[in-house]
Amino acid sequence: MRINKYIAGSGLCSRRKADELILNGNVKVNGAVLKEPGYDVQEGDKVTVNGVDLAEQEESVYYLLNKPVGYVTTAKDEQDRATVLDLVPDIGERVFPVGRLDMNTSGALILTNNGKASYRLSHPKHQVFKTYRALVSGVMSKEKLWKLRNGIDIGGYVTKPARVTLLKENKNSTLLEISISEGKNRQVRKMCKAVGNPVQELQRISIGEVRLGRLKEGTYRKLTKDEIEYIKNC
Ligand code: URA
């Protein structure tokens, strides 16, 4: 296997970045700095990147959890509240949540041990849209929807354009689907409050192309090959 593919396959970085590492002399094969970017890795080769032996690297794993309300999104809680990791006691690897859902928000949460994937999904520069179903109090005027879509001040910060669809409406409440590419603290709740319609219930239904679908609340599944590929390239 070509060396750049081998390095990328370990989950460390993309093939392009692997080429850069090789050019910069950060890659050694069997103890010698690799000079040949087209090198084919042979069985038994010991490949290191900045001194890290790729064979000893933990394999990357990716899961999707349907978080119920009432769990905090941290690995360990100072107040000893239930955390999302309490819901996945039988995952063998040490995973951590990608981004955050409020304690009272339910839905899609990715768990992984791959820090780079986590960075790509969370960083606004990568424009990964996260989609939420928000049940809000009251009714929505066209003007309010326009504000939610085009940017609204949530206390010293004006939000970036969002996709907002009105799904259902009755006298006292409205169901919205809201997609945002940023992840300011409690952003959806603050956006809805700013137009005078506080959130009653909030559920995240997708993270980019990773969709919650019919995954039961409180359960988790492995991401599919296509979903992992999407994360590596987003
Ligand atoms: N926006 C919120 O307000 N809460 C969440 O948990 C996620 C997005």
Side-chain angles (χ1 to χ4, degrees):
M1 185 189 291
R2 204 181 147 108
I3 183 82
N4 62 355
K5 192 171 176 192
Y6 180 82
I7 296 171
S10 75
L12 192 73
C13 59
S14 65
R15 281 194 211 179
R16 205 178 316 141
K17 180 75 192 162
D19 283 330
E20 245 175 64
L21 289 166
I22 297 163
L23 280 177
N24 293 337
N26 300 111
V27 178
K28 285 185 182 173
V29 176
N30 302 324
V33 173
L34 184 69
K35 301 246 164 62
E36 233 184 288
Y39 180 76
D40 268 326
V41 179
Q42 309 296 312
E43 216 173 311
D45 274 351
K46 178 178 153 110
V47 179
T48 61
V49 177
N50 291 325
V52 176
D53 186 340
L54 292 193
E56 283 171 15
Q57 272 239 133
E58 210 183 2
E59 195 194 337
S60 293
V61 293
Y62 306 87
Y63 296 90
L64 179 69
L65 169 73
N66 185 350
K67 174 193 172 302
V69 299
Y71 288 79
V72 288
T73 310
T74 44
K76 181 124 189 66
D77 185 55
E78 286 154 12
Q79 297 164 47
D80 247 2
R81 292 172 297 185
T83 80
V84 290
L85 294 189
D86 293 331
L87 294 162
V88 296
D90 35 10
I91 291 182
E93 300 84 3
R94 277 161 56 115
V95 291
F96 54 85
V98 176
R100 224 165 244 257
L101 286 180
D102 302 335
M103 178 141 137
N104 291 328
T105 302
S106 64
L109 186 69
I110 290 175
L111 304 172
T112 183
N113 57 356
N114 184 314
K116 295 237 160 55
S118 169
Y119 173 82
R120 276 196 300 275
L121 286 168
S122 308
H123 202 284
K125 148 177 131 187
H126 293 279
Q127 286 266 316
V128 174
F129 275 86
K130 284 111 186 163
T131 302
Y132 298 84
R133 288 265 164 96
L135 180 69
V136 301
S137 301
V139 289
M140 278 276 156
S141 61
K142 285 213 166 96
E143 195 193 343
K144 288 180 176 190
L145 285 171
W146 190 92
K147 283 186 184 162
L148 288 174
R149 287 181 182 131
N150 290 283
I152 181 150
D153 192 330
I154 55 169
Y157 178 79
V158 178
T159 56
K160 299 236 156 36
R163 301 172 191 149
V164 182
T165 311
L166 194 156
L167 297 177
K168 228 197 242 171
E169 186 173 45
N170 62 38
K171 253 194 351 235
N172 304 316
S173 63
T174 305
L175 184 63
L176 297 174
E177 193 165 294
I178 303 180
S179 297
I180 54 173
S181 62
E182 351 167 60
K184 300 283 171 207
N185 188 29
R186 300 175 73 81
Q187 181 165 335
V188 174
R189 290 175 197 275
K190 285 180 183 166
M191 287 168 71
C192 296
K193 190 157 178 228
V195 291
N197 300 73
V199 165
Q200 295 175 351
E201 284 171 33
L202 189 61
Q203 179 194 35
R204 183 156 68 187
I205 58 169
S206 64
I207 301 159
E209 291 179 11
V210 180
R211 296 181 181 87
L212 196 57
R214 291 173 187 275
L215 186 65
K216 270 207 193 132
E217 202 168 82
T219 68
Y220 64 95
R221 65 166 172 85
K222 283 190 170 163
L223 294 200
T224 64
K225 269 199 181 140
D226 285 350
E227 288 170 335
I228 294 171
E229 214 35 47
Y230 161 74
I231 288 176
K232 285 187 174 166
N233 294 308
C234 71

